[in-house]
Amino acid sequence: MYGGNFLTAIALMLVLEGLLPAVAPSLWREAFRKMVILNDSQLRFAGLASMLSGLLILLASHSHA
């Protein structure tokens, strides 16, 4: 059961990550260009902020279930 949930989460992540390049490629390219010039600590902070946001959304969605 948990393996299916994990695969579902990965699939959903891939769908969401592909949404912006499919809908607005120039906007995605510009965002990627800006991200490439960030230093390592800025990228780590962005990754940490993204993970924490996802965790909060996950916890909030499970608290209402």
Side-chain angles (χ1 to χ4, degrees):
M1 183 69 182
Y2 291 113
N5 288 340
F6 180 73
L7 289 177
T8 301
I10 296 295
L12 183 57
M13 179 198 69
L14 291 171
V15 168
L16 292 175
E17 281 189 354
L19 192 60
L20 190 59
V23 173
S26 60
L27 180 63
W28 180 83
R29 187 177 295 113
E30 185 59 31
F32 194 78
R33 186 175 294 128
K34 289 179 181 179
M35 197 168 54
V36 168
I37 63 173
L38 295 176
N39 62 40
D40 287 352
S41 62
Q42 290 171 317
L43 282 173
R44 282 188 184 104
F45 179 78
L48 181 62
S50 177
M51 288 188 298
L52 289 176
S53 298
L55 182 61
L56 289 173
I57 292 169
L58 182 63
L59 290 173
S61 69
H62 280 285
S63 68
H64 293 295

